[in-house]
Amino acid sequence: MSKPLPTTVRTHFTALRMLLVMTVILGLAYPLLVTGIGQAAFSGKANGSIVKTADGKEAGSSLLGQSYDLPKKNPSDTDEAAAPDPKWFQPRPSANGYDPKSSGASNLGPNSEDLTKTIEDRRKAVAEFDGVDPASVPADAVTASGSALDPHISVAYAKEQVDRVARARGNVSPERLNELVEKYTEGPSLGFLGQQGVNVVLLNTALAQQK
């Protein structure tokens, strides 16, 4: 008769078998199951909520804001500030330039003189850019979101930009632009959290298709 293995050895073998079984279940079977369900039932969301143009090109993600700027005069100059393109609806400011690898806010508090000056400078710039009274510029036009990646702006900020976009494009009426703003206005989260917002990525993608 063979001698029974020591208790310590048997315990280690049991632990090793359990490790292998759980690795297969949790490390292979479960991820494949969840991925399969996601691709089958929620393909668009599972793949990043990608927004495509009429010709099938990827325009971005409906979950992530992005900048709509004019090309730099000198692309290699990192100190050259990008200027907003008047032909597009502009998003709210971003603390990181809408870099999805670096989500976060500026961490400046309401008593910060730097923040106060930044807001006033933005208010003046936005009012001049959109051709409106500085007093009418909405708060989200001059303040960044906590994530710096929010693709939404307020309905008020979207409507403020309608006349400027219409003038810059020349081929789309303010009435048509207001229709697009209403179409891409989304209600509060879960129906009661927050306020209505306009998804700028979806709005500008639809705007690109206007003839």
Side-chain angles (χ1 to χ4, degrees), residues 17-103:
R17 288 196 298 270
M18 181 59 69
L19 174 63
L20 293 175
V21 169
M22 297 307 292
T23 297
V24 171
I25 294 175
L26 300 179
L28 184 62
Y30 179 72
L32 288 175
L33 175 63
V34 172
T35 300
I37 293 174
Q39 291 296 331
F42 313 101
S43 178
K45 293 182 178 180
N47 291 313
S49 299
I50 301 300
V51 178
K52 294 185 178 181
T53 60
D55 56 2
K57 294 182 180 179
E58 295 183 355
S61 169
S62 63
L63 303 177
L64 300 173
Q66 56 182 284
S67 300
Y68 293 88
D69 297 325
L70 293 167
K72 287 186 176 182
K73 295 180 180 179
N74 184 3
S76 61
D77 184 2
T78 56
D79 293 328
E80 181 185 349
D85 191 335
K87 292 183 179 180
W88 300 103
F89 285 91
Q90 294 296 316
R92 65 188 304 177
S94 171
N96 63 7
Y98 285 102
D99 182 356
K101 300 186 297 295
S102 178
S103 175

Side-chain angles (χ1 to χ4, degrees), residues 6-7 11 36-37 45 76 86 88 91 96 100 102 108 112-113 116 121-122 129 135 137 144 159 166 185 203-204:
T7 301
T11 300
I37 293 174
K45 293 182 178 180
S76 61
W88 300 103
N96 63 7
S102 178
L108 297 177
S112 169
E113 294 182 0
T116 300
D121 289 344
R122 286 173 178 168
F129 186 61
V137 174
K159 288 186 176 296
T185 296
L203 176 59
N204 278 337

Side-chain angles (χ1 to χ4, degrees), residues 162 172-181 183 206 210:
V162 163
V172 187
S173 68
E175 291 75 20
R176 177 55 182 157
L177 292 177
N178 276 310
E179 290 176 0
L180 290 176
V181 168
K183 180 177 180 179
Q210 302 299 304

